[in-house]
């Protein structure tokens, strides 16, 4: 039986990138002591108050059909929150609600790009971005994010890749996998290009509440000159340790949201009312767990860097936010993929090769910072031991 063009465009994406993760799971199932640092899950449960609110809403009958834009009570809460964050007025009709950031990004991308278009994305990138872009028929154009610029997207690198087919720039700030945060100056410079070439700016901001002490997050929504061409997507998945609830949204110009609404209604028709009530509470009250997660993740990244820099030739890029740290393993002479496989086989620590996130990081690996402290420190000790043993063997 034949399948459609979109099935062909998405063929081969996703699965192979996670081969090492699945191998680690198989080893653990077989009885091997494996410390899994491949996936970033919040290290705390969903706050009990949110579970209670969702349960009360279900029992109160909030289980019917939703408004296609999303429940008004949630959109009002989001509008007030984003107005405060951005310093400019955001209205409920500037917002559409979705089951998670991923769905929001999928819908938004369909509204800005199509067959024959190009979308610029920083490389390394979150694993699903290529599929989201390809699904529209557009082509993903990678923009290398360089370590010497802190893995922050640079306007000159974007400018070199803009063509008449370019329609949008997809930003991730704070960034996954590197944990970098675009500065206001970075965003302003990128915005000038968007204005010059009439481009949309899409901003994935799901880690905005997991910013480490000393760092500052600026949303492109807060830059007045480009605000009418910015669409931000986010959710409560990371900020409120609730990825399974699938509650996200996009914030953008009302004209764009109005135009996208029929597509959204055709696809999913809003989000679940009882989850919307829970999310309204989350937005209005703020997160009781985000600050603790950010502090623990920053501390773990610090211990990782201190131990590896003191005892090995491996070098850690210190993240400013998020759930991950990147390790440069170039001194080993191995690719990130070969190193990760060797690390897993030798000492039972599973990390993700940088090549799983694009072409820019062949000599890097990504480490999740969400492992509880005792196991995290054990993993760091194993990484150090592996590096020392391998260096001695080579010598």
């Amino acid at each position: 039986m034949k399948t459609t063009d979109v099935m062909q465009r998405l063929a081969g994406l996703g699965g192979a990138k996670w081969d090492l993760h699945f191998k680690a799971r198989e080893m653990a199932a077989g009885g091997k002591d494996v410390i899994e640092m491949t996936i970033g899950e919040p290290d705390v449960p969903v706050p009990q108050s949110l579970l209670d609110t969702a349960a009360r809403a279900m029992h109160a009958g909030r289980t019917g059909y939703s408004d296609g834009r999303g429940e008004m009570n949630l959109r009002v809460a989001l509008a007030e929150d984003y107005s405060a964050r951005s310093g400019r007025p955001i209205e409920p009709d500037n917002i559409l609600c979705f089951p998670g950031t991923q769905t929001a990004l999928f819908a938004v991308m369909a509204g800005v790009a199509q067959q024959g278009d190009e979308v610029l994305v920083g490389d390394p990138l979150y694993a699903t971005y290529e599929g989201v872009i390809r699904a529209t028929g557009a082509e993903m154009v990678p923009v290398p994010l360089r370590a010497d610029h802190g893995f922050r997207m640079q306007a000159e690198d974007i400018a070199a890749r803009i063509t008449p087919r370019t329609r949008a720039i997809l930003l991730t700030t704070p960034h996954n996998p590197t944990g970098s945060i675009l500065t206001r100056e970075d965003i302003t410079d990128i915005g000038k290009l968007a204005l010059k070439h009439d481009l949309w700016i899409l901003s994935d901001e799901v880690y905005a509440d997991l910013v480490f002490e000393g760092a500052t997050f600026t949303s492109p929504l807060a830059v007045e000159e480009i605000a009418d061409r910015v669409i931000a997507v986010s959710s409560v998945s990371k900020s409120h340790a609730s990825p399974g609830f699938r509650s996200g949204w996009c914030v953008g110009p009302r004209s764009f949201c109005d135009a996208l609404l029929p597509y959204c209604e055709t696809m999913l028709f809003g989000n679940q009312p009882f989850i919307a009530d829970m999310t309204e509470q989350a937005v209005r009250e703020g997160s009781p767990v985000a600050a603790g997660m950010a502090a623990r993740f920053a501390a773990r990244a610090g211990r990782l860097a201190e131990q590896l820099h003191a005892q090995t030739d491996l070098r850690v890029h210190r993240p400013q936010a998020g759930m991950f740290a990147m390790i440069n393993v170039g001194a080993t002479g191995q690719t990130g993929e070969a190193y990760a496989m060797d690390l897993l086989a030798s000492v039972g620590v599973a990390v993700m090769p940088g090549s799983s996130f694009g072409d820019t990081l062949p000599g890097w690996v990504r480490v999740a910072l969400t492992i509880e402290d005792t196991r995290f420190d054990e993993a760091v000790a194993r990484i150090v031991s592996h590096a020392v043993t391998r260096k001695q063997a080579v010598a």
Side-chain angles (χ1 to χ4, degrees):
M1 299 286 288
K2 291 184 177 180
T3 58
T4 62
D5 288 346
V6 68
M7 297 296 101
Q8 300 304 315
R9 291 197 296 269
L10 297 180
L13 291 180
K17 297 179 180 180
W18 300 97
D19 283 350
L20 186 141
H21 169 72
F22 295 129
K23 180 176 177 60
R25 287 279 174 95
E26 290 176 5
M27 291 171 59
K32 185 173 179 59
D33 179 19
V34 174
I35 303 178
E36 186 179 297
M37 308 179 83
T38 49
I39 293 179
E41 289 271 6
D43 65 347
V44 292
V46 180
Q48 185 62 46
S49 63
L50 298 186
L51 296 177
D52 292 342
T53 296
R56 282 196 302 270
M58 282 190 283
H59 288 298
R62 294 281 285 154
T63 55
Y65 287 115
S66 175
D67 185 318
R69 290 181 178 267
E71 294 296 283
M72 178 57 83
N73 61 312
L74 173 55
R75 290 191 290 120
V76 168
L78 286 166
E80 293 173 359
D81 184 59
Y82 274 89
S83 294
R85 287 173 182 250
S86 67
R88 64 185 191 83
I90 303 289
E91 302 295 335
D93 286 345
N94 293 115
I95 295 164
L96 295 171
C97 297
F98 298 89
T101 309
Q102 183 67 32
T103 312
L105 186 60
F106 183 90
V108 167
M109 192 65 70
V112 302
Q114 61 186 349
Q115 187 77 38
D117 292 340
E118 295 175 345
V119 177
L120 304 181
V121 184
D123 181 344
L125 61 146
Y126 179 57
T128 68
Y129 286 170
E130 184 174 4
V132 166
I133 295 167
R134 277 201 200 177
T136 70
E139 292 295 322
M140 183 184 81
V141 178
V143 179
L145 306 182
R146 302 193 299 273
D148 57 344
H149 281 136
F151 293 113
R152 303 189 332 269
M153 188 180 282
Q154 300 295 295
E156 59 266 31
D157 294 327
I158 296 173
R161 290 161 178 82
I162 292 175
T163 75
R165 297 169 57 195
T166 308
R167 294 294 175 267
I169 305 167
L170 174 54
L171 306 178
T172 316
T173 183
H175 188 255
N176 179 6
T178 69
S180 63
I181 300 176
L182 291 174
T183 67
R184 190 180 187 92
E185 183 180 5
D186 293 332
I187 294 168
T188 299
D189 290 343
I190 293 169
K192 290 176 182 176
L193 289 175
L195 288 168
K196 179 179 179 180
H197 297 279
D198 192 22
L199 307 178
W200 286 102
I201 294 177
L202 311 184
S203 183
D204 182 345
E205 301 175 356
V206 73
Y207 288 104
D209 285 344
L210 294 182
V211 173
F212 299 166
E213 185 177 358
T216 301
F217 165 72
T218 299
S219 170
L221 288 169
V223 181
E224 185 67 32
E225 296 81 359
I226 59 172
D228 63 351
R229 61 183 62 246
V230 173
I231 307 161
V233 297
S234 194
S235 71
V236 294
S237 293
K238 303 299 191 296
S239 61
H240 289 74
S242 55
F245 271 98
R246 312 310 304 139
S247 185
W249 53 83
C250 77
V251 183
R254 176 172 180 172
S255 58
F256 176 82
C257 292
D258 288 347
L260 191 63
L261 181 58
Y263 183 87
C264 299
E265 291 177 331
T266 301
M267 179 172 64
L268 48 84
F269 219 95
N271 62 346
Q272 302 90 329
F274 69 94
I275 293 179
D277 292 352
M278 181 204 80
T279 307
E280 179 195 3
Q281 177 185 330
V283 171
R284 290 194 180 281
E285 295 183 357
S287 174
V289 296
M293 284 193 289
R296 289 191 298 277
F297 301 160
R300 290 168 190 159
R303 295 202 300 277
L304 176 72
E306 289 166 6
Q307 293 297 314
L308 266 56
H309 292 181
Q311 302 182 64
T312 79
D313 294 328
L314 306 178
R315 290 296 173 262
V316 177
H317 169 72
R318 294 286 289 267
Q320 296 175 290
M323 296 181 167
F324 307 101
M326 302 299 301
I327 304 175
N328 185 336
V329 300
T332 68
Q334 295 178 299
T335 65
E337 186 172 0
Y339 170 87
M341 286 293 186
D342 189 19
L343 186 71
L344 177 61
S346 300
V347 297
V349 174
V351 299
M352 288 296 292
S355 57
S356 294
F357 307 99
D359 297 328
T360 302
L361 299 177
W364 295 69
V365 295
R366 188 190 77 171
V367 173
L369 302 170
T370 54
I371 314 303
E372 63 89 17
D373 284 328
T374 301
R375 289 292 274 175
F376 185 86
D377 291 340
E378 170 63 21
V380 174
R382 293 187 191 185
I383 293 170
V384 169
S385 174
H386 173 263
V388 171
T389 300
R390 193 179 187 283
K391 185 175 182 179
Q392 291 174 343
V394 171

